[in-house]
Structure formats: structure tokens, C-alpha cells
């Protein structure tokens, strides 16, 4: 620093410090008031093309696994022969598949604040998580097409029932099949199915049948989903009234409800047959709270599943809201408008059994909790090997509130069943009359979130805001320091002058020391040179040269 030599220099220094200090204070205060990090997050966490959330939604980095547990019927011959009073079931599994979701054909509909897309799901077998190879392991399990046709025949005329029974006998169709696990899940050829596909293609339009194929994969790429975007707000940031909740479904393939469950578009349907207002379980609003509730929809369920808040948890340092599925979610009652639509022909299934037949070619299928948990006790009576356990078979859904995404701890556990009604003219099927036969149960679960997603969640929660506060505080402190320096120059010029004088004196002292050192070095060099000359002269005299001595005497 240089010593102030005139008033102009001091004024220039004053203006520089004051301007810099005011600028830093202005921007530091602006950061605290405007909260730019939150504004950036609001933009980047909106579902618009080019935003961070949009990119994550197109190809979700969340690992979803489906653990499949099969039921192996081990004593069929003894049961049908009358030797054993109950069917013995052995649970085999898990066979694990990874569900890979991508969203395609995205269209933003600004007119009604929705977004349309086609979700595609692929299922990849994960051998390291599975109990064995499904293509090698074999089981004995119910013949779903035969049992379905037999049950449907009971509602037909006498001649139709006799005809179907004769066809089944002609094809030698057996009520219990033996095949590989993979065939039973993803498709096997059946003569009865092939025959139905030829004669009633409007009812059966497939040549092979697999329970997992029908529940999860069928129609996977043809669905067009229309989803509501977050609620619009007025200029004051207040949500507009009557706006649909953000990220809820508006329609699927143009339908806002289950037409097969008697949805009435004029009345907007009932809680029993609506699709709109539910979530597809991939994205949730960021304003969820501990008193919230929501519905989950997937074609697999053939209905909406209500989820209610249970508790707040922390998993791996990440906040989480845990929701649970009610015990009576699959119950149906004629007098209850929220479940009466599930009762076909004014007949409801037993407690804990939910029909899904309208979504699967009217084949009498139903979903329950695994091992008939929360179901009518009579469901367990025909079987050995079923052990209902709330801790193992309950369903929970965990939502991360900062990002609005499902996370680790989510377990949706459902069991697929074959409903066998009254049997006419088929002796092979008579032992299974009026039974609900377990086929398999699945556990849709989410694995640990990837590292990048965990870091993003931590950043949204506190990391980005901490950086913002650190930057704002640094600017404010630097601004205060610069203003203090300006005040010192303005009101205490002598103190500032003395401070700068000390610096100048220190610099001058350094220069003086350097000159003194140089002069001392020069004197030492001269002395050394003189000494060397004298030594040379003494050396020559000692050699005794006459001419030199004479010369020296003459000079003397």
C-alpha cells in the first residue's frame, strides 16, 4: 500500500471501499430476501421439458423389484381321490424380476394443465436375488382357463354348460397342471385357450396364457395416460380453487373411470369406480404432509388402492412418510357406495377378496392379501401351508417429501387367486367347487436409492440452502469490512495515515537495509583486493630480484 500523498487519493480510496461494501451488502441481502435457491428448485422440480425432474421422470433411476412367490399343490391326487381332506400348499420363491419403467410420447397440454404419455415397463429376471431358475423349477398349480370356463358355464344355459363340459373332456383338460414356473408365469399353450381364441375372438384374443403376463405385461405399451400437473396459482402464489391435485391421473385411454365397474361420466362416478384422482405410484406432490392420504392405481389391481398416513421415519438419513393399506381394502358390500360396484349380479365375494375379473376377460380372478391375511377365516379352511402374518404380508408405501418420489421401504404385497364357483357336469372340478385357490403372491418393493438421488435429496433438504446462506453471510461480512475501511478513511484519516505510514516505513527500512548490506559487501571486497596486492609484492621481494630492488630504492 502507498502512503496517501494528497486528498484526491484519499477520496478515491474512500469511494472504492464504500462502493464495494454497498454492493456486497446489497447482493447479500438480496439473496436472503429473494431465496434464489428455492426459486431455482421450484423451476427444476417442475414437470416441464428440460427440467431436472422431467429428465428423472422420463427414465426413473429408482430400482423397483417384483418378488414372486408361487404356490405348489403337492397332494392333488390324494385330495381329489378323497384321501386328504385339505390341499397342501408349499410356497416356492422368491423369483425376482426388476421392473424398468420409461415414459414415451410425451405431450404437454397447456390448455388444461395436463401431460400425456405412454409408460412402458420391462421385466428382467434377476438370478442373484432368486431362489432358483424359473425355467427349470417345476410346480403343480390350478389350470386357470379351465377353472374360469367351468365357473362361467354355471351361469349359462343347460345346453351351453353341457357343451363346454364335453369340450373340456374331449381335450382331456385337467384342473391342476404341472409345468415350469416360467411357463405358468409368462405363458403356456393351452388347447382350451386356443379353441376359445378361434370361436370367440371377441372374448379371448390370445393363444397362450400366463398369470404374470396378464397381470403386469399385457397392454403395457398401448396405454395413454393423462396426468394433472401441479395446481396453478394466481399472481399472489395462491392455488386456484377446484384445481386437481398435482400428479394425479386425469384419464387412461380417454376413460376417467372403470366402465366395467359401471362408471358414470355424468356423475363423475363413485369412490368405487373412479380412476381420476389417483396416482400411478411414480410421482407425488411435494406439499404432502403427515395427515395426507392418496389412492394408487395400476391395471394389475383393477381398482384404486387407498393409502393412509401411518408414521414419519428417517431411512439412511432421508426423511420419509410411511403410508399403509387398510385391512378392509378388498372388502365389498352392497350397501356401501364405495365398494358396491365390485358386487356382480348383487353378489359379493367373501370378506378380504376383491374381484378383478372385468379387467381380465371376465375370468374369475381375485386379489387378496398374501395367505388370505385379513380375509374371511373360511378361506383358510381347505388348505394346509397358509400362515397369515401381518409383519410379512402387510403393505406399506413410503414417499420422500422433498422430491415427491417413492423410496426404500415401499412394499405392495398382493395375492392372485382363482375363484371357483358352482360346478356343473364336470366331475374333475367338483372337489374344487366354491373355493378360492391361491395362485401366487407378489411383493412390489423399492431397493435402496442410488447415490446420486440420495445426494440430490440431501441437497434439496439442506445442502443447497446451506451454500446459499454461506455465500450470503460471506458477502455481508465482506461488505461490512469494506464500509468500516471507508469510514476509517473518512472520519479518522490520521489513524489511517499512521497505519499506512507504518507500512511505508517498513518498506523504506527494507530498502535501507539492502543499501547498507551492499555497501558493506563492497568495502569488504576492496579490502580483500588490497591485501592480495600487498601479498604479491612481498612475494616478489622475497625472490631477490636486483632490478626490482633498485627500482624500489629509486622510488623511495
Amino acid at each position: 500500500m502507498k502512503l496517501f500523498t494528497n486528498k484526491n487519493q484519499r477520496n478515491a480510496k474512500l469511494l472504492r471501499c464504500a462502493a464495494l461494501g454497498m454492493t456486497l451488502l446489497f447482493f447479500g441481502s438480496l439473496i436472503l430476501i429473494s431465496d434464489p435457491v428455492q426459486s431455482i428448485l421450484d423451476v427444476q422440480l417442475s414437470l416441464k421439458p428440460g427440467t431436472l425432474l422431467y429428465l428423472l421422470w422420463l427414465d426413473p433411476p429408482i430400482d423397483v423389484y417384483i418378488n414372486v412367490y408361487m404356490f405348489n399343490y403337492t397332494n392333488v391326487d390324494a385330495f381329489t381321490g378323497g384321501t386328504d381332506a385339505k390341499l397342501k400348499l408349499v410356497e416356492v420363491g422368491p423369483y425376482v424380476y426388476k421392473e424398468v419403467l420409461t415414459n414415451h410420447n410425451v405431450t404437454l397440454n397447456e390448455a388444461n394443465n395436463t401431460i400425456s404419455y405412454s409408460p412402458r415397463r420391462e421385466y428382467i429376471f434377476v438370478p442373484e436375488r432368486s431362489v432358483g431358475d424359473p425355467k427349470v423349477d417345476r410346480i403343480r398349480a390350478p389350470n386357470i382357463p379351465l377353472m374360469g370356463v367351468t365357473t362361467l358355464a354355471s351361469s349359462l344355459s343347460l345346453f351351453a354348460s353341457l357343451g363346454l363340459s364335453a369340450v373340456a373332456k374331449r381335450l382331456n383338460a385337467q384342473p391342476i397342471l404341472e409345468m415350469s414356473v416360467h411357463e405358468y408365469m409368462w405363458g403356456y399353450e393351452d388347447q382350451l385357450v386356443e379353441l376359445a381364441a378361434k370361436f370367440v375372438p371377441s372374448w379371448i384374443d390370445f393363444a397362450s396364457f400366463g398369470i404374470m403376463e396378464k397381470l403386469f405385461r399385457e397392454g403395457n405399451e398401448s396405454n395413454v395416460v393423462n396426468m394433472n400437473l401441479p395446481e396453478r396459482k394466481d399472481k399472489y402464489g395462491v392455488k386456484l380453487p377446484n384445481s386437481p391435485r398435482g400428479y394425479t391421473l386425469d384419464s387412461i385411454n380417454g376413460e376417467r373411470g372403470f366402465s366395467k365397474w359401471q362408471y358414470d361420466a355424468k356423475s363423475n362416478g363413485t369412490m368405487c369406480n373412479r380412476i381420476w384422482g389417483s396416482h400411478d405410484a411414480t410421482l407425488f406432490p411435494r406439499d404432502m404432509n403427515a395427515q395426507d392420504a392418496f389412492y394408487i392405481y395400476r391395471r394389475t389391481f383393477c381398482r384404486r388402492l387407498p393409502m393412509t398416513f401411518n408414521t414419519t421415519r428417517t431411512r439412511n438419513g432421508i426423511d420419509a412418510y410411511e403410508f399403509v393399506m387398510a385391512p378392509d381394502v378388498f372388502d365389498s358390500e352392497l350397501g356401501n357406495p364405495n365398494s358396491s360396484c365390485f358386487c356382480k349380479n348383487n353378489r359379493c365375494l367373501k370378506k378380504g377378496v376383491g374381484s378383478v375379473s372385468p379387467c381380465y376377460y371376465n375370468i374369475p380372478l381375485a386379489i387378496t392379501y398374501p395367505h388370505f391375511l385379513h380375509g374371511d377365516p373360511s378361506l383358510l379352511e381347505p388348505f394346509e401351508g397358509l400362515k397369515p402374518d401381518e409383519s410379512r404380508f402387510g403393505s406399506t408405501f413410503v414417499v420422500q417429501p422433498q422430491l415427491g418420489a417413492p423410496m426404500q421401504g415401499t412394499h405392495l404385497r398382493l395375492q392372485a387367486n382363482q375363484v371357483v364357483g358352482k360346478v356343473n357336469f364336470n366331475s374333475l372340478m367338483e372337489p374344487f367347487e366354491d373355493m378360492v385357490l391361491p395362485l401366487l403372491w407378489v411383493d412390489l418393493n423399492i431397493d435402496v436409492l442410488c447415490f446420486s438421488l440420495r445426494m440430490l435429496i440431501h441437497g434439496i433438504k439442506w445442502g443447497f440452502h446451506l451454500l446459499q446462506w454461506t455465500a450470503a453471510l460471506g458477502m455481508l461480512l465482506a461488505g461490512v469490512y469494506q464500509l468500516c475501511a471507508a469510514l476509517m478513511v473518512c472520519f479518522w484519516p490520521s489513524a489511517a495515515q499512521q497505519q499506512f505510514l507504518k507500512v511505508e516505513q517498513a518498506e523504506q527500512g527494507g530498502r535501507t537495509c539492502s543499501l547498507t548490506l551492499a555497501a558493506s559487501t563492497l568495502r569488504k571486497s576492496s579490502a580483500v583486493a588490497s591485501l592480495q596486492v600487498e601479498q604479491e609484492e612481498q612475494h616478489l621481494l622475497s625472490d631477490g630480484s636486483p632490478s626490482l630492488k633498485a627500482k624500489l630504492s629509486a622510488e623511495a
Side-chain angles (χ1 to χ4, degrees), residues 147-258:
M147 290 188 171
V149 168
T150 301
T151 299
L152 290 174
S154 63
S155 61
L156 302 177
S157 64
L158 176 63
F159 292 104
S161 297
L162 286 171
L164 285 175
S165 177
V167 171
K169 290 180 180 179
R170 180 68 180 270
L171 297 175
N172 193 28
Q174 298 297 315
I176 302 295
L177 301 174
E178 181 179 350
M179 62 182 62
S180 70
V181 171
H182 178 81
E183 288 176 322
Y184 197 77
M185 286 195 295
W186 300 109
Y188 61 91
E189 294 183 356
D190 184 272
Q191 291 181 321
L192 189 60
V193 173
E194 292 178 357
L195 189 63
K198 290 180 180 179
F199 289 96
V200 281
S202 60
W203 176 40
I204 301 294
D205 59 357
F206 49 88
S208 63
F209 186 90
I211 183 63
M212 286 290 290
E213 173 75 23
K214 299 305 174 191
L215 291 177
F216 288 93
R217 185 179 284 170
E218 188 175 65
N220 191 12
E221 299 183 3
S222 60
N223 292 322
V224 178
V225 179
N226 195 39
M227 183 174 66
N228 295 303
L229 293 173
E231 301 94 320
R232 289 174 172 171
K233 301 178 181 179
D234 60 20
K235 61 181 180 179
Y236 302 106
V238 179
K239 295 178 181 178
L240 297 177
N242 301 322
S243 296
R245 188 171 186 178
Y247 305 127
T248 56
L249 299 178
D250 178 72
S251 65
I252 296 180
N253 297 327
E255 296 185 356
R256 306 190 73 215
F258 296 96

Side-chain angles (χ1 to χ4, degrees), residues 393-447:
F393 302 132
S395 291
T396 59
F397 200 96
V398 182
V399 178
Q400 205 294 311
Q402 277 79 34
L403 193 59
M407 62 172 291
Q408 179 188 6
T410 294
H411 290 275
L412 288 180
R413 300 181 175 106
L414 303 168
Q415 179 173 295
N417 308 273
Q418 174 75 65
V419 178
V420 182
K422 187 177 180 180
V423 176
N424 295 327
F425 313 113
N426 192 328
S427 59
L428 294 177
M429 285 291 300
E430 287 180 358
F432 305 97
E433 189 174 27
D434 293 327
M435 292 176 63
V436 180
L437 302 173
L439 304 176
L440 54 82
W441 72 272
V442 298
D443 177 7
L444 286 83
N445 61 89
I446 295 179
D447 207 2

